[in-house]
Amino acid sequence: MSVQKEFHGTIDYGDVTVTGGISVFDAKFDELYVYDGDDLGAVYAPEETRFRLWAPTASEAFVVLYETEDGMPMKELPMKRDVQGTWTLTVAEDCGGLFYTYRVKVGEQWNEAVDPYAKAVGVNGTKTAILDLRSTNPEGWENDQKPPLASPTDAVIYELHVRDLSIHPQSGIREKGKFLGLTEEGTRGPNGIPTGLDHITGLGVTHVQLLPIYDYSQESVDESRLDEPHYNWGYDPQNYNVPEGSYSTDPHNPAARILELKHLIQKLHARGLRVIMDVVYNHVYDGYLIHFTKLVPGYYLRYKADRTFSDGTFCGNECASERPMMRKYIIESILHWVREYHIDGFRFDLMGMIDIETMNEIRRRLDEIDPTILTIGEGWMMETVLPKELRANQDNAEKLPGIGMFNDGMRDAVKGDIFIFDRKGFISGGDGFEDGVKRGVAGGINYGGADQTVRGRAGSIGELRGVP
């Protein structure tokens, strides 16, 4: 069987059915095809690698093995249909160092995609890499100790972009724009001013909040052409469980980005700083090209009645966090970052687009590991097909114990309206904002009964960076 090119167009969802004729849009679909195991993806051991893919609508499924990230397929191995909509395959040999994709037939369409559960990838994230994650642990990783945090209200958070922190020609940092650049100590800029890590630790902050460090779309930053100008904040998710390759010293080496990010977190912890990860589980970079849609069309994203994407994010699509297998994916992704990378907190981009049950389950699972892990997010009230009573936003704050929300009321009161340029705030000489500033300083505004309280583990945090 020949391997066809990746699909680059729209998909007809009307005929997306499984055995018995049940559509992915049918309520019965989730009753029959929710997989509750913890082994999705590839489980590597030197003697064998076990693959499990959730693809209930596929009539055929294959694992396509590659020797190199940009080469031709070396093997195409059929998977066997298993329980709860999954397909399995065991390869009884050492697959370490190989790459793979999944290839499925949905209706009459063949689609090839990266494993959504990929934990390592090649350049630009187009193929999943098979490796032993234990080999990516820096020396002393097992003894990594996060700094103490007596109370969430003690948190003082410094937000940064990995590239921007060190990219200036006079930053004094050798590994400019890289994870390792933030690990360098003793760096100085003009007139001997401390830069990078030394600058941050001198500020008295408790947490460093990293703008997206997961693998984001090559349409934003092409990891194979880093000698050319590239820039993006990273709010276009591609592979949620893998670090971004452009921040590593070698994006062609799947282990490098993992090892170097771990080394950064280890260094920050050693310097008394906890690490918050900015996560974007509300939308994907492209609803048609993402692996979710190629493997199970119509399931992972939200749709309106006419089967077009719901787009309350203004990013082209929304993740259907309320669907059991998407909820499972998000929760397991969060736990992966905690267990594998020792992340100390999460800032949820457009959290108001995620459902309440998912956010509360995340908080519950994190409490089982470490109650001091922060959960904060943008609880904006944005329109979506998700019913209002299910949205994890400011109106439903009382339903989200332990989850802090950014306070746009305080933000706008202090600095002015971010959307209306001439509407000044308190610090710009605007009138009538004193009460809004006081409410923010007190730790809360009236979000569904949470008035005048410091809500949750993160409290009510004023986001003053000028971006909603």
Side-chain angles (χ1 to χ4, degrees):
M1 183 182 297
S2 63
V3 176
Q4 301 177 11
K5 294 182 179 179
E6 291 188 34
F7 174 67
H8 291 290
T10 60
I11 294 177
D12 178 7
Y13 300 106
D15 295 324
V16 178
T17 59
V18 294
T19 302
I22 300 175
S23 166
V24 294
F25 299 103
D26 192 316
K28 294 181 180 179
F29 187 88
D30 283 328
E31 296 177 11
L32 297 173
Y33 296 104
V34 172
Y35 179 67
D36 54 7
D38 59 0
D39 59 344
L40 288 169
V43 179
Y44 168 79
E47 63 275 10
E48 66 177 25
T49 297
R50 291 179 287 111
F51 300 88
R52 187 181 291 273
L53 164 69
W54 186 73
T57 61
S59 59
E60 298 182 64
F62 292 81
V63 171
V64 185
L65 291 175
Y66 295 82
E67 191 169 7
T68 62
E69 62 188 5
D70 58 355
M72 295 298 293
M74 57 181 290
K75 292 181 181 179
E76 188 171 302
L77 305 173
M79 305 184 78
K80 179 180 179 181
R81 190 185 292 276
D82 202 63
V83 298
Q84 298 168 309
T86 63
W87 298 78
T88 61
L89 170 69
T90 297
V91 179
E93 59 186 75
D94 191 348
C95 295
L98 299 181
F99 298 84
Y100 75 94
T101 58
Y102 290 126
R103 188 164 177 262
V104 299
K105 185 179 183 181
V106 181
E108 297 304 316
Q109 176 72 52
W110 282 99
N111 297 329
E112 186 173 356
V114 177
D115 189 344
Y117 277 82
K119 296 179 174 62
V121 294
V123 67
N124 284 324
T126 59
K127 292 182 178 65
T128 313
I130 303 174
L131 56 78
D132 185 348
L133 287 178
R134 293 173 298 181
S135 68
T136 66
N137 292 342
E139 183 178 354
W141 185 242
E142 66 278 3
N143 298 318
D144 176 54
Q145 296 291 324
K146 63 181 63 183
L149 182 68
S151 168
T153 56
D154 292 337
V156 180
I157 302 170
Y158 184 95
E159 182 183 47
L160 65 88
H161 183 280
V162 171
R163 175 191 177 277
D164 285 0
L165 176 93
S166 56
I167 202 65
H168 193 280
Q170 299 183 62
S171 68
I173 295 174
R174 296 184 304 278
E175 296 291 352
K176 291 180 172 58
K178 307 298 182 183
F179 290 130
L180 294 183
L182 184 49
T183 70
E184 296 179 27
E185 299 177 289
T187 60
R188 295 294 181 268
N191 301 316
I193 185 172
T195 60
L197 181 59
D198 285 359
H199 168 69
I200 295 171
T201 54
L203 296 175
V205 302
T206 64
H207 290 70
V208 168
Q209 180 173 300
L210 303 175
L211 268 74
I213 54 172
Y214 52 72
D215 181 60
Y216 50 84
S217 171
Q218 68 185 75
E219 300 299 323
S220 299
V221 176
D222 187 339
E223 298 171 3
S224 69
R225 298 188 295 118
L226 294 179
D227 56 330
E228 303 174 14
H230 289 86
Y231 182 77
N232 197 273
W233 280 3
Y235 291 90
D236 46 355
Q238 178 172 263
N239 294 301
Y240 280 104
N241 299 327
V242 188
E244 164 62 16
S246 66
Y247 298 149
S248 75
T249 58
D250 185 4
H252 292 274
N253 178 357
R257 63 181 76 191
I258 301 173
L259 172 63
E260 292 169 9
L261 176 55
K262 288 179 178 179
H263 182 57
L264 167 58
I265 294 169
Q266 183 182 45
K267 175 64 72 171
L268 292 173
H269 284 170
R271 291 293 298 267
L273 295 166
R274 288 186 168 217
V275 182
I276 295 174
M277 182 177 175
D278 194 334
V279 290
V280 186
Y281 294 110
N282 61 82
H283 75 279
V284 297
Y285 82 99
D286 188 301
Y288 293 110
L289 301 183
I290 193 68
H291 40 53
F292 292 141
T293 300
K294 291 181 179 180
L295 295 170
V296 192
Y299 185 84
Y300 287 99
L301 305 179
R302 289 191 189 124
Y303 298 85
K304 294 184 289 188
D306 62 1
R307 301 285 173 86
T308 60
F309 288 130
S310 180
D311 187 21
T313 65
F314 297 98
C315 297
N317 61 81
E318 303 167 20
C319 293
S321 63
E322 70 280 8
R323 301 209 70 170
M325 290 302 291
M326 189 63 190
R327 174 179 295 139
K328 173 184 174 68
Y329 180 86
I330 294 172
I331 294 169
E332 291 182 354
S333 176
I334 289 288
L335 297 179
H336 170 67
W337 286 104
V338 172
R339 292 166 176 161
E340 188 67 34
Y341 292 89
H342 302 177
I343 292 291
D344 309 299
F346 296 91
R347 178 265 189 195
F348 290 85
D349 182 72
L350 300 187
M351 186 177 71
M353 303 302 293
I354 303 174
D355 70 286
I356 292 172
E357 183 176 343
T358 295
M359 289 305 306
N360 282 337
E361 182 62 13
I362 288 171
R363 184 66 261 173
R364 187 187 72 80
R365 297 293 295 275
L366 291 177
D367 282 342
E368 292 177 346
I369 298 172
D370 178 4
T372 70
I373 295 174
L374 295 184
T375 48
I376 57 179
E378 293 180 312
W380 313 144
M381 282 81 77
M382 304 175 72
E383 285 308 309
T384 169
V385 295
L386 184 70
K388 290 184 178 181
E389 66 273 14
L390 302 182
R391 303 173 192 174
N393 62 21
Q394 295 168 342
D395 281 346
N396 294 317
E398 78 281 1
K399 301 177 183 178
L400 294 153
I403 299 172
M405 296 187 186
F406 289 99
N407 187 334
D408 56 335
M410 178 186 180
R411 178 197 64 197
D412 292 352
V414 171
K415 67 175 290 295
D417 195 295
I418 64 168
F419 298 110
I420 304 175
F421 179 74
D422 59 356
R423 186 174 294 176
K424 297 180 179 180
F426 180 77
I427 62 174
S428 304
D431 295 325
F433 294 104
E434 292 79 5
D435 185 63
V437 174
K438 290 177 183 179
R439 284 177 175 269
V441 172
I445 60 178
N446 191 17
Y447 290 162
D451 190 24
Q452 300 298 323
T453 63
V454 180
R455 298 185 317 282
R457 289 174 172 77
S460 179
I461 299 172
E463 183 179 44
L464 303 179
R465 63 179 176 162
V467 179

